[in-house]
Amino acid sequence: MNRYPLWKNLLLLAVVVIGLIYALPNLFSQDPAMEISGTRRAEVTADTRTRVEEILRGAGIGSKAIEHSANNRLLLRFNDSESQLRARDLLEVELGSDYSQALTLSTDVPGWLRGMGALPMYLGLDLRGGIHVLIDVDMEAAVEKALERYTDDIRSLLRTEKLRYTRVAQEGERIVVQYSSAALRDKAYDVIGNEFRELVLESADLEGDFLIHAAISRAEQAQIRKFALDQNITTLRNRVNALGVAEPIIQQQGERRIVVQLPGAQDPAKLKEMLGATATLEYRLEDTEGSVDAALAGKLPVGSKLYRTREGQPILLKKRVIVTGNQITDAASGFDQTTGQPAVIVNLDSAGGSRMRRVTTENVNKPMAVVFIETRPETTMVDGERVTRKVQVEEVISVASIREPFGRRFQTTGLDSPQEAHDLALLLRAGALAAPIDIVEERTIGPSLGQDNIDQGFRSVVIGLALVMLFMAVYYRAFGLVANMALLLNLVLIVAILSMLQATLTLPGIAGIVLTVGMAVDANVLIFERIREEKAAKKAQRLAARKRRSR
């Protein structure tokens, strides 16, 4: 007889019902699908959906459904993989590089379940198929680049302070500054030490030459390596997002390696091109005297070049580059302390800061633009065949007026929202790779192999569950049936919790579920065996099942 209070029974019932609801989406099949996402140049709108429908209808490609998802993407479901691939090839050409197409699998969960937030678990790379890439970051090159930058900065600093030197050169892992007198050397030592506190300085005299040896401190080298790794991760994530792959995994492994996993992606050549693509940033002054209309007609002013903004508006900029993205050491989003408007705070290295101060001093109240330059693959159809070639795209991502002269640290305003400021800071930091990368390992898992893993994993769970339940039912009879019901509920709740957390299911995860099925009845076996012992001692069944009180 059930002696538990009503609220405990209701709580148990509620947990079971919720578990069944959130485990249910994992039973629905997955359709071949394609996600269309926008880029900085174009957004997915209702017009995009209409255009996609017309393109598919004109080519005779049927779609199961077309949905506009909450993350501003267009999800196309197909009845078979053949239609999915045909649609990808067609839309990749018709929509151009303004949109990204990603092949994926999408579960056909009813709307009432999705409205409750009930979604299936994500499938890992070994179940869904895709590409696994292990990337090594050349940390030595990052430190070498920093040493070259310090060499140029020291040379510029000594020229500014009018401390004429014999030579400033990089020798191995240190910078050597040579003077003809000890007095000048000592003055330069103090100036360099005050300006670059992250450098370790040593004085040396060698055959009438008075030298300063400057080396990057260990703490600064560690910071340079960390910055290079973090910036490369941000850059790679930005590039992978352009592919539109669903649930990409980009994370650090060890001190110098990055793991990139793209579930559902099956084109390693395109992935390599995207990861190795070049991108940079340039700051240029706007040509306010020239005529944009004349430039559009082909009459460009001398020393100017025509660009386009993200919205497609033409803009005339000076050819002279002030600084490039390689001279940006950091960028962060924030707010203007005076107006409260969204802003991006940018830090330059010494050479870039000196050049920026000189240019802004001469051009106060004039607009300055940030140009994003990227080389990426573009696919076209030539004689019925897909041809991929590299194209260079230049676009103006920000234009702001110079309010007052500034140097190494300044802020860019005139942005529409904090999100735009965050995105711009990301582009400024991740426009180019901070250090060279090398793909040291590459694995491609086909979707058929992933489906085989799913089928075998599901079969192992079913067989293990069936054997355990059969043993419990035969050996313990009525008690075994109760344990079997608890075992089923345990399995349902595990799946429900993983689905609610949107966890990623992998082959080791399936092995863990199989192990759980076997171990979950362990407590029941102990309890049932104790009951048998008590019954063998001539105790009533109700007393045998009662927990013995501690004396």
Side-chain angles (χ1 to χ4, degrees):
M1 183 176 178
N2 189 352
R3 297 175 179 271
Y4 289 103
L6 179 61
W7 70 270
K8 286 188 177 181
N9 292 294
L10 292 178
L11 178 61
L12 177 62
L13 180 62
V15 169
V16 171
V17 171
I18 293 174
L20 289 172
I21 291 175
Y22 282 91
L24 187 60
N26 295 280
L27 299 179
F28 290 90
S29 61
Q30 292 187 328
D31 299 325
M34 180 170 61
E35 278 189 350
I36 299 178
S37 57
T39 62
R40 296 182 304 275
R41 300 170 299 279
E43 294 183 356
V44 175
T45 62
D47 294 336
T48 308
R49 175 173 179 169
T50 303
R51 183 182 174 191
V52 169
E53 291 175 345
E54 291 176 352
I55 293 173
L56 295 180
R57 192 182 306 114
I61 301 175
S63 60
K64 189 174 182 180
I66 299 180
E67 305 170 4
H68 206 139
S69 58
N71 55 357
N72 200 27
R73 292 184 177 184
L74 205 61
L75 180 65
L76 284 68
R77 301 176 185 271
F78 300 94
N79 294 314
D80 51 64
S81 298
E82 182 181 355
S83 300
Q84 178 196 39
L85 296 175
R86 287 180 56 201
R88 193 275 305 271
D89 294 341
L90 181 62
L91 294 175
E92 194 174 41
V93 175
E94 294 293 333
L95 296 181
S97 59
D98 289 343
Y99 298 90
S100 298
Q101 299 83 30
L103 301 183
T104 182
L105 295 173
S106 180
T107 183
D108 195 12
V109 178
W112 65 273
L113 276 176
R114 281 182 290 172
M116 298 175 64
L119 297 172
M121 290 179 286
Y122 289 139
L123 298 180
L125 201 67
D126 47 4
L127 299 180
R128 191 176 187 180
I131 299 173
H132 169 96
V133 175
L134 182 62
I135 296 173
D136 182 76
V137 180
D138 191 349
M139 295 298 189
E140 290 73 20
V143 176
E144 180 74 15
K145 187 184 296 185
L147 201 60
E148 292 175 359
R149 186 171 66 249
Y150 278 120
T151 304
D152 294 336
D153 291 348
I154 289 175
R155 190 179 290 116
S156 300
L157 175 64
L158 296 178
R159 288 174 180 172
T160 303
E161 298 294 332
K162 298 181 180 180
L163 296 172
R164 299 182 63 85
Y165 50 82
T166 302
R167 69 184 178 100
V168 176
Q170 180 182 338
E171 295 182 359
E173 297 182 353
R174 65 183 182 180
I175 303 168
V176 177
V177 183
Q178 180 178 334
Y179 278 93
S180 57
S181 69
L184 280 175
R185 189 269 311 276
D186 294 340
K187 290 182 180 179
Y189 185 96
D190 294 336
V191 170
I192 296 173
N194 291 332
E195 182 69 19
F196 304 104
R197 299 182 183 275
E198 60 274 19
L199 296 180
V200 178
L201 304 181
E202 292 181 358
S203 297
D205 298 338
L206 181 62
E207 297 179 356
D209 294 329
F210 302 93
L211 308 176
I212 300 174
H213 294 159
I216 303 176
S217 65
R218 292 185 179 275
E220 181 65 16
Q221 288 188 30
Q223 185 66 25
I224 291 171
R225 292 187 175 94
K226 183 178 184 303
F227 178 82
L229 187 64
D230 292 344
Q231 183 170 338
N232 277 10
I233 289 175
T234 304
T235 302
L236 295 177
R237 183 174 290 115
N238 197 35
R239 294 179 181 182
V240 167
N241 288 340
L243 291 173
V245 178
E247 304 110 41
I249 297 174
I250 304 171
Q251 58 190 15
Q252 178 180 344
Q253 184 180 87
E255 296 183 352
R256 56 180 296 157
R257 292 191 169 181
I258 302 172
V259 174
V260 179
Q261 292 184 356
L262 306 180
Q266 299 296 327
D267 193 349
K270 184 175 181 179
L271 173 63
K272 285 184 177 180
E273 287 184 358
M274 182 62 69
L275 296 183
T278 59
T280 187
L281 292 150
E282 295 177 349
Y283 280 83
R284 298 173 182 260
L285 290 172
E286 182 179 354
D287 186 355
T288 55
E289 299 177 357
S291 172
V292 175
D293 294 334
L296 290 172
K299 299 179 180 179
L300 278 172
V302 178
S304 298
K305 185 178 179 180
L306 189 64
Y307 288 87
R308 297 274 180 177
T309 64
R310 287 178 294 177
E311 294 76 21
Q313 298 296 325
I315 184 173
L316 205 56
L317 302 181
K318 297 285 189 180
K319 287 185 178 180
R320 180 189 179 191
V321 179
I322 305 173
V323 294
T324 65
N326 295 330
Q327 295 171 298
I328 295 176
T329 58
D330 192 19
S333 58
F335 293 90
D336 190 329
Q337 295 181 356
T338 304
T339 63
Q341 295 180 348
V344 175
I345 296 89
V346 178
N347 290 308
L348 301 174
D349 59 22
S350 179
S354 299
R355 185 175 179 82
M356 181 65 78
R357 178 168 293 280
R358 185 171 61 253
V359 172
T360 54
T361 301
E362 300 170 354
N363 296 275
V364 175
N365 295 326
K366 293 183 179 179
M368 182 175 64
V370 183
V371 182
F372 183 70
I373 303 173
E374 181 182 21
T375 302
R376 62 170 181 264
E378 185 178 81
T379 302
T380 56
M381 296 295 292
V382 178
D383 297 332
E385 296 184 358
R386 297 172 61 209
V387 177
T388 301
R389 58 188 179 90
K390 289 186 177 181
V391 297
Q392 181 171 291
V393 178
E394 301 176 332
E395 62 179 3
V396 177
I397 61 176
S398 175
V399 180
S401 296
I402 302 172
R403 295 181 178 178
E404 58 185 15
F406 49 83
R408 294 182 64 175
R409 181 180 174 87
F410 61 93
Q411 68 178 21
T412 299
T413 57
L415 304 170
D416 294 334
S417 64
Q419 182 62 40
E420 185 178 3
H422 173 76
D423 294 341
L424 178 57
L426 179 66
L427 286 176
L428 292 174
R429 289 198 307 267
L433 292 170
I437 62 174
D438 182 33
I439 297 178
V440 297
E441 181 184 348
E442 173 190 337
R443 297 199 304 268
T444 301
I445 302 174
S448 57
L449 178 60
Q451 187 61 46
D452 290 342
N453 291 337
I454 294 176
D455 296 339
Q456 293 177 10
F458 180 76
R459 193 179 303 118
S460 64
V461 173
V462 171
I463 293 174
L465 181 65
L467 291 176
V468 171
M469 293 180 66
L470 180 63
F471 170 80
M472 294 297 291
V474 172
Y475 195 73
Y476 294 110
R477 304 199 176 154
F479 284 161
L481 294 177
V482 174
N484 288 341
M485 184 172 62
L487 185 62
L488 283 174
L489 292 178
N490 181 40
L491 185 61
V492 169
L493 291 178
I494 289 175
V495 174
I497 292 174
L498 292 176
S499 300
M500 293 171 70
L501 296 176
Q502 284 293 275
T504 300
L505 182 65
T506 60
L507 272 177
I510 294 179
I513 293 176
V514 175
L515 179 63
T516 302
V517 168
M519 297 298 295
V521 295
D522 180 65
N524 298 89
V525 171
L526 294 177
I527 293 172
F528 295 161
E529 289 298 324
R530 181 55 185 269
I531 292 174
R532 283 187 171 182
E533 291 177 1
E534 296 292 334
K535 290 180 67 177
K538 306 301 182 180
K539 290 187 178 181
Q541 182 168 317
R542 183 172 61 86
L543 295 176
R546 181 180 298 176
K547 181 180 179 181
R548 177 177 293 181
R549 295 180 181 177
S550 60
R551 296 180 180 178

